[in-house]
């Protein structure tokens, strides 16, 4: 049914543009004026009698679907802004929207105007067809799946049924104005949910023109917000979050979400995903579904990681390496070479007793098991998420949804900036495009900028390495000569002190670079002028992820794979920039330093992230609402309350995904060095879900609803990191931990059959003759006249024909490390791919339900067409052509049933 008598596929914006040459007081505007004249005026309704939770126009009938705000701007641009607003609002009315303005005198601050927007039924059904929105045609009668026998045990974690499933499940079909009788339309004012309504209105706002400037046609609310014509544009929350609205027509979904989901005391409860999807849209719903599923899977990784950590804890006293280091007769007699040139002194091995014990917590046999386990866990996580995602696609009517139509359409910025046009080969219509030469120039500038910032990260990392080398000697000298530090000298070694301070400095630099690069990434992505919203998000995602990957992980890669690997030996050390001697690992290995680096960066990022996400918006909102608390409650209207909240922004969800994906990298790429990383991530994510839900429900304006059938490009990023994690963990076990050298000694070089690991420490330390130090590099103080010292390596001793060259044991260990990497990678990859092949992406039960629903939906649609044709047949006098059409339709129904 088409009430305006226009073509079915013509949108109201197109109709308005077609009549743009007509007088602004034409038939459409006359209709709007007549409608408004029948409604109460400002003088008839006093704002003091309007509930502060009202989400309706002054008539109490028409729902507010969107709000625009602006204030007086006493400068040269004010006249231009007034003209833009007048033209924009006139075109909105031409498009069928109804507007109502609140004067600044009625606002709480006395400075802000509010334009309330209502989409009438005709506008909603027109754009529901344009956006291909699915609506109910019949209640779903497919029996639900069998009950889980564990449901009774999961009772304490469940939410009430009304919260989990706020509306019945329906068979749905894309809306069509010509088939309105088919849909379950009980009430036109509630047929489209508020999230659907604000999505439709936002679609119109982003494409509505407001005039011509500098010879170019200007349009879209985004541009008007960026140039200050409007200060904000947002849909309304339906009520206050801490209490229900007085209006009986209000669903109070925000209050329900706050009480059942956004409070931290509900951390053990499941998430009301259907209600989240209904209130915020599928895009935000799929994010919380993914975050919840990721957190659930982290529980299993955290349990196994904790068991591995406890194994290291309970076997710490049985570790032969730390026993020998701590023994006075062994570690107390081994004199180690100085840690730096000149100022550092000789030191005894048993001074690292405590650090060697703690190193065993993470460097033990369980480390290998946990690295293999996490390689399989990450595959199970990604495969089971695909199945969970497929179930959500079915439950949320996204099965036939390829991509959000609005996401695939041209961005208003692209249409505005591209002056060239060419014919689209599919639609045969003229479309704007960016010439190839312009694209090439923009990509070169973009690529150069990204490379420059990545180079800046590498330079900052080199600066931290220089800091490590420069202060290492100072720490070594201070700790050896300061009596007050003697009680903790066993625990706080120069290596550990340097690592902790360098990690903290590195974390500060990471945060500063992140803050600066976020602005640059958005700027260069805007400069590229991506064609669609989807293309814009994907390009920004790759830039931000690439930068943050290098920024967060570069220091961990340095400690894991470079530190202590290119040191040289006493008398022939290697130097950075011919000045600073390269760092050595602790005698117990570099793994404990990697653990320290990972812990500080990972924990620091999570703490800082929660402060940014929760405390900062709360402070801004408190500051913005400080005056409103002094005013009577009924003067602080719903649109003003929401106006004082923070804007979630188009990239709000992007930053949430980025934060979690970076965390995913920490618990997969370097998990072999820190089995407790999944436990820290689990604890953070339990808090993260409630912080995200709390800030979205209480501190931010309601985001515009958007559809999404998956987590998008993040799925591919996670797959790539899962593959990379197998390689990095294999290298960490082989080259960073001491596992392979110990195994080689255990099986090939042991000297005591009763205790094969006895003598390992002495075997792993080479001998250096003090007289072989280069001039100026020897310690200034050698009061005890040591003739030899020991260092960590496998080299021939003084007096040997191959003096200071690598021994055969060194090459055996190197061969064993390479063999281990190849074997571990192949085993894990084979298991990963086998598991991925065994687990189908879509559950068989979901496939069957999708086919069943498609069949029943087609049957309903065909029967509707058949009944409609029969009705026409009864009304028509000429039967021949109509009878043929009825026969064809009946045949189509039979064919559908047969299929």
């Amino acid at each position: 049914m088409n009430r305006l008598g226009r073509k079915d596929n013509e949108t109201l914006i197109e109709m308005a543009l077609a009549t743009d040459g007509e007088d602004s007081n034409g038939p459409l505007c006359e209709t709007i004026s007549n409608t408004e004249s029948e409604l109460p005026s400002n003088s008839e309704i006093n704002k003091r009698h309007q509930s502060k939770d009202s989400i309706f126009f002054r008539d109490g009938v028409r729902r507010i679907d969107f709000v625009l705000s602006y204030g007086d701007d006493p400068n040269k641009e004010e006249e231009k802004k007034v003209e833009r607003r007048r033209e924009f609002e006139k075109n909105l009315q031409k498009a069928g929207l109804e507007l109502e303005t609140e004067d600044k005198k009625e606002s709480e601050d006395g400075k802000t105007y509010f334009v309330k927007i209502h989409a009438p039924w005709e506008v909603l059904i027109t754009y529901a067809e344009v956006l291909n929105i699915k609506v109910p045609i019949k209640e779903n009668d497919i029996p639900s799946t069998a009950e889980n026998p564990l449901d009774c045990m999961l009772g304490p974690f469940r939410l009430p049924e009304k919260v989990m499933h706020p509306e019945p499940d329906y068979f749905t079909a894309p809306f069509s104005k010509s088939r309105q009788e088919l849909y379950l339309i009980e009430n036109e004012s509630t047929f489209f949910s508020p999230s659907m309504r604000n999505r439709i209105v936002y679609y119109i706002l982003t494409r509505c023109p407001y005039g011509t400037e500098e010879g170019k046609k200007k349009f879209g609310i985004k541009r008007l917000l960026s140039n200050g014509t409007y200060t904000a544009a947002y849909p309304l929350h339906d009520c206050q979050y801490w209490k229900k609205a007085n209006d009986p027509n209000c669903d109070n979904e925000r209050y329900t979400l706050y009480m059942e989901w956004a409070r931290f005391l509900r951390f053990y409860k499941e998430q009301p995903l259907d209600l989240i999807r209904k209130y915020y849209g599928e895009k935000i719903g799929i994010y919380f579904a993914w975050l919840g599923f990721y957190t659930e899977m982290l529980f299993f990784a955290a349990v196994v990681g904790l068991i591995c950590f406890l194994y290291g804890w309970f076997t710490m006293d049985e570790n032969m390496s730390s026993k020998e280091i701590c023994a006075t007769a062994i570690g107390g007699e081994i004199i180690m070479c100085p840690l730096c040139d000149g100022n550092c002194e000789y030191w005894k091995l048993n001074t690292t007793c405590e650090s060697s014990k703690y190193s065993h917590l993470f460097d033990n046999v369980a480390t290998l098991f946990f690295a293999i386990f996490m390689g399989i866990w990450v595959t199970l996580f990604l495969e089971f998420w695909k199945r969970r995602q497929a179930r959500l696609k079915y439950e949320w009517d996204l099965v036939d949804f390829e991509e959000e139509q609005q996401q695939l359409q041209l961005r208003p910025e692209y249409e505005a900036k591209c002056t060239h046009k060419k014919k689209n080969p599919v639609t045969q219509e003229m479309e704007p495009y960016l010439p190839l030469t312009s694209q090439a120039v923009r990509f070169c500038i973009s690529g150069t900028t990204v490379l420059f910032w990545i180079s800046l990260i590498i330079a900052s990392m080199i600066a931290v390495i220089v800091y490590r080398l420069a202060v290492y000697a100072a720490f070594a000298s201070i700790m050896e000569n300061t009596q007050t530090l003697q009680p903790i000298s066993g625990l706080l070694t120069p290596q550990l002190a340097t690592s902790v301070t360098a990690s903290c400095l590195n974390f500060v630099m990471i945060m500063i670079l992140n803050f600066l690069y976020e602005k640059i990434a958005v700027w260069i992505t805007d400069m590229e002028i991506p064609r669609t919203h989807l293309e814009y998000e994907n390009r920004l995602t790759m830039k931000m992820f690439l930068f943050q990957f290098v920024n967060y992980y570069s220091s961990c890669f340095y400690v894991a794979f470079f530190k202590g690997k290119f040191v040289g030996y006493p008398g022939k050390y290697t130097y950075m920039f011919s000045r600073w001697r390269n760092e050595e690992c602790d005698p117990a290995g570099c793994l404990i330093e990697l653990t320290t680096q990972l812990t500080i960066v990972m924990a620091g990022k999570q703490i800082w992230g929660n402060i940014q996400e929760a405390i900062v918006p709360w402070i801004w909102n408190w500051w913005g609402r400080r005056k409103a608390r002094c005013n009577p409650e009924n003067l602080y209207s719903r649109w003003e309350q929401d106006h004082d909240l923070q804007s979630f922004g188009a990239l709000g969800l992007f930053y949430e995904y980025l934060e979690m994906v970076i965390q995913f990298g920490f618990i997969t790429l370097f998990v072999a060095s820190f089995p407790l990383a999944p436990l820290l991530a689990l604890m953070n994510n339990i808090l993260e879900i409630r912080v995200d839900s709390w800030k979205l429900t209480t501190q931010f304006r309601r985001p515009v609803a958007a559809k999404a059938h998956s987590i998008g490009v993040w799925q591919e990023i996670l797959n790539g990191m899962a593959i990379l994690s197998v390689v990095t963990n294999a290298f960490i076990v082989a080259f960073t931990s001491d596992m392979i050298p110990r195994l080689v000694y255990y099986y090939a070089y042991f000297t005591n059959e009763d205790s094969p690991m006895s003598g390992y420490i002495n075997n792993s330390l080479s001998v250096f003759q003090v007289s072989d130090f280069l001039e100026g590099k020897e310690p200034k103080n050698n009061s005890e006249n040591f003739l030899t010292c020991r260092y960590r390596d496998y080299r021939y001793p003084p007096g040997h024909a191959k003096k200071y060259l690598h021994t055969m044991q060194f090459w055996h260990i190197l061969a064993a490390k390479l063999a281990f990497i190849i074997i571990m990678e192949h085993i894990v990859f084979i298991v990963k791919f086998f598991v991925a092949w065994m687990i189908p992406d879509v559950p068989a039960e979901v496939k069957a339900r999708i086919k069943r629903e498609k069949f029943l939906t087609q049957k309903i649609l065909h029967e509707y067409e058949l009944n409609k044709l029969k009705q026409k047949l009864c009304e028509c006098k000429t039967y021949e052509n109509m009878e043929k059409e009825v026969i064809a339709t009946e045949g189509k129904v039979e064919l559908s049933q047969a299929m």
Side-chain angles (χ1 to χ4, degrees), residues 263-289:
R263 295 189 300 164
F264 182 73
L265 293 178
R266 314 291 284 179
F267 73 91
Y268 62 94
K269 294 284 189 180
E270 61 185 333
Q271 296 188 85
L273 294 177
D274 287 347
L275 185 58
I276 297 169
R277 171 242 183 173
K278 182 185 176 187
Y279 192 74
Y280 291 115
E282 286 81 359
K283 194 169 187 177
I284 290 178
I286 205 83
Y287 163 73
F288 279 103

Side-chain angles (χ1 to χ4, degrees), residues 440-714:
V441 171
R442 292 172 188 274
F443 278 125
C444 285
I445 296 173
S446 173
T448 304
T449 307
V450 172
L451 288 176
F452 168 77
W453 279 87
I454 290 177
S455 302
L456 201 61
I457 297 171
I458 296 173
S460 69
M461 187 186 72
I462 292 174
V464 173
I465 294 172
V466 170
Y467 165 84
R468 284 173 173 268
L469 302 178
V471 303
Y472 182 75
F475 276 124
S477 178
I478 291 170
M479 290 182 177
E480 286 177 4
N481 301 321
T482 305
Q483 295 298 321
T484 55
L485 295 177
Q486 289 302 317
I488 61 169
S489 60
L491 181 63
L492 188 64
T493 62
Q495 291 96 329
L496 187 59
T498 303
S499 181
V500 170
T501 55
S503 298
C504 293
L505 177 63
N506 183 59
F507 174 72
V508 173
M509 296 182 73
I510 285 172
M511 293 295 104
I512 294 172
L513 288 172
N514 265 353
F515 175 78
L516 296 174
Y517 184 76
E518 282 179 8
K519 314 292 182 186
I520 299 297
V522 172
W523 175 75
I524 58 178
T525 307
D526 288 337
M527 183 202 62
E528 291 175 5
I529 319 179
R531 191 169 182 270
T532 64
H533 293 281
L534 182 65
E535 194 175 326
Y536 181 91
E537 286 189 10
N538 288 347
R539 289 189 189 181
L540 182 61
T541 298
M542 294 310 298
K543 289 183 183 67
M544 286 295 294
F545 174 74
L546 177 63
F547 177 84
Q548 294 215 3
F549 182 92
V550 178
N551 198 17
Y552 278 108
Y553 303 142
S554 57
S555 58
C556 293
F557 273 102
Y558 164 72
V559 175
F561 306 124
F562 296 97
K563 184 180 177 182
K565 306 299 185 294
F566 310 100
V567 176
Y569 61 91
K572 196 176 181 181
Y573 284 117
T574 54
Y575 292 82
M576 176 176 278
F577 306 129
S578 302
R579 181 175 179 182
W580 292 288
R581 199 174 102 186
N582 284 355
E583 286 184 281
E584 297 180 53
C585 286
D586 190 276
C590 265
L591 200 67
I592 189 67
E593 294 186 45
L594 177 58
T595 303
T596 304
Q597 177 78 23
L598 186 65
T599 305
I600 290 175
V601 176
M602 181 180 175
K605 181 187 182 304
Q606 293 178 349
I607 293 169
W608 178 250
N610 286 323
I611 290 173
Q612 276 188 311
E613 291 182 14
I615 298 177
V616 173
W618 180 83
I619 291 174
W620 279 111
N621 290 336
W622 171 83
W623 183 255
R625 289 195 300 257
R626 68 194 187 284
K627 292 181 180 179
R629 294 196 299 270
C630 303
N631 292 334
E633 219 176 45
N634 62 329
L635 291 183
Y636 197 36
S637 61
R638 161 63 34 217
W639 45 90
E640 289 175 279
Q641 294 175 53
D642 285 11
H643 179 264
D644 288 340
L645 298 176
Q646 298 297 299
S647 172
F648 190 63
L651 298 176
L653 213 56
F654 164 80
Y655 290 113
E656 300 297 340
Y657 274 118
L658 183 61
E659 179 187 3
M660 288 295 102
V661 170
I662 293 298
Q663 183 205 80
F664 181 81
F666 280 123
I667 68 160
T668 54
L669 297 177
F670 308 102
V671 75
S673 67
F674 190 35
L676 292 181
L679 180 61
L680 288 182
L682 174 65
M683 294 166 64
N684 174 78
N685 286 8
I686 291 173
L687 179 64
E688 180 77 21
I689 291 174
R690 303 305 157 179
V691 168
D692 285 351
S693 58
W694 175 80
K695 73 178 184 183
L696 200 60
T697 308
T698 66
Q699 303 301 309
F700 283 87
R701 297 171 190 155
R702 186 174 184 171
V704 178
K707 279 186 174 289
H709 69 294
S710 68
I711 61 175
V713 69
W714 299 108

Side-chain angles (χ1 to χ4, degrees), residues 40-47 58 100-103 106:
S41 64
N42 287 357
S43 59
E44 294 174 15
I45 295 181
N46 192 324
K47 183 182 175 183
R58 296 190 187 95
E100 185 176 83
T101 303
E102 292 286 336
D103 192 81
E106 299 179 2

Side-chain angles (χ1 to χ4, degrees), residues 335-352:
I335 306 302
M336 301 296 293
C337 295
L339 298 172
C340 61
D341 296 337
N343 294 325
C344 295
E345 298 180 356
Y346 299 100
W347 54 285
K348 293 184 178 181
L349 181 60
N350 65 351
T351 57
T352 62

Side-chain angles (χ1 to χ4, degrees), residues 301-317:
V303 169
V304 177
L306 181 60
I307 292 172
C308 292
F309 175 79
L310 292 176
Y311 170 82
W313 181 275
F314 290 127
T315 60
M316 189 163 57
D317 293 333

Side-chain angles (χ1 to χ4, degrees), residues 779-793:
K780 294 178 181 178
N781 183 15
N782 186 7
S783 57
E784 299 188 31
N785 296 317
F786 295 117
L787 299 178
T788 61
C789 62
R790 308 294 293 272
Y791 61 98
R792 184 181 169 85
D793 207 341

Side-chain angles (χ1 to χ4, degrees), residues 196-483:
M196 289 182 184
R197 296 174 71 99
N198 72 55
R199 182 175 155 225
I200 289 171
V201 172
Y202 186 70
Y203 180 87
I204 299 172
L205 290 173
T206 54
R207 280 158 176 75
C208 185
Y210 61 85
T212 304
E213 297 176 8
E214 301 174 355
K216 294 183 180 180
K217 198 169 187 178
K218 304 290 184 179
F219 55 88
I221 188 63
K222 290 183 180 179
R223 187 174 290 274
L224 290 173
L225 289 170
S226 64
N227 61 30
T229 304
Y230 290 100
T231 56
Y234 53 93
L236 290 180
H237 283 294
D238 62 357
C239 67
Q240 292 175 328
Y241 66 85
W242 66 85
K243 69 175 185 178
K244 292 184 178 180
N246 297 324
D247 192 339
N249 295 323
C250 180
D251 292 331
N252 295 300
E253 290 174 347
R254 185 190 188 193
Y255 170 80
T256 304
L257 285 170
Y258 173 72
M259 297 300 294
E260 302 290 348
W261 177 51
R263 295 189 300 164
F264 182 73
L265 293 178
R266 314 291 284 179
F267 73 91
Y268 62 94
K269 294 284 189 180
E270 61 185 333
Q271 296 188 85
L273 294 177
D274 287 347
L275 185 58
I276 297 169
R277 171 242 183 173
K278 182 185 176 187
Y279 192 74
Y280 291 115
E282 286 81 359
K283 194 169 187 177
I284 290 178
I286 205 83
Y287 163 73
F288 279 103
W290 176 80
L291 180 57
F293 184 79
Y294 171 44
T295 305
E296 290 172 14
M297 291 294 291
L298 273 177
F299 174 78
F300 302 103
V303 169
V304 177
L306 181 60
I307 292 172
C308 292
F309 175 79
L310 292 176
Y311 170 82
W313 181 275
F314 290 127
T315 60
M316 189 163 57
D317 293 333
E318 301 173 9
N319 180 30
M320 184 58 68
S321 297
S322 59
K323 279 183 179 180
E324 291 187 344
I325 291 175
C326 296
T328 307
I330 303 176
E333 297 296 325
I334 295 178
I335 306 302
M336 301 296 293
C337 295
L339 298 172
C340 61
D341 296 337
N343 294 325
C344 295
E345 298 180 356
Y346 299 100
W347 54 285
K348 293 184 178 181
L349 181 60
N350 65 351
T351 57
T352 62
C353 174
E354 293 299 321
S355 63
S356 69
K357 286 182 179 179
Y358 289 115
S359 179
H360 179 72
L361 289 173
F362 309 105
D363 192 357
N364 54 65
V365 178
T367 301
L368 172 60
F369 166 77
F370 192 59
I372 295 173
F373 169 81
M374 287 301 294
I376 299 169
W377 173 89
V378 73
T379 304
L380 291 173
F381 163 63
L382 294 173
E383 292 303 318
F384 282 128
W385 165 245
K386 290 178 185 177
R387 292 169 64 84
R388 179 79 176 105
Q389 192 170 254
R391 190 177 295 278
L392 286 174
K393 284 173 69 174
Y394 166 72
E395 293 173 354
W396 291 357
D397 291 322
L398 300 169
V399 173
D400 297 324
F401 172 79
E402 289 300 323
E403 195 50 73
E404 172 68 67
Q405 186 173 355
Q406 190 169 337
Q407 290 283 86
L408 292 176
Q409 291 182 343
L410 299 180
R411 294 171 63 237
E413 295 85 351
Y414 181 86
E415 295 178 292
K417 292 180 181 178
C418 297
T419 54
H420 298 79
K421 292 186 180 292
K422 68 177 181 180
K423 184 179 287 187
N424 186 313
V426 178
T427 63
Q428 294 297 305
E429 294 179 357
M430 298 300 291
E431 285 186 355
Y433 82 102
L434 198 63
L436 189 61
T437 53
S438 178
Q439 288 185 45
V441 171
R442 292 172 188 274
F443 278 125
C444 285
I445 296 173
S446 173
T448 304
T449 307
V450 172
L451 288 176
F452 168 77
W453 279 87
I454 290 177
S455 302
L456 201 61
I457 297 171
I458 296 173
S460 69
M461 187 186 72
I462 292 174
V464 173
I465 294 172
V466 170
Y467 165 84
R468 284 173 173 268
L469 302 178
V471 303
Y472 182 75
F475 276 124
S477 178
I478 291 170
M479 290 182 177
E480 286 177 4
N481 301 321
T482 305
Q483 295 298 321

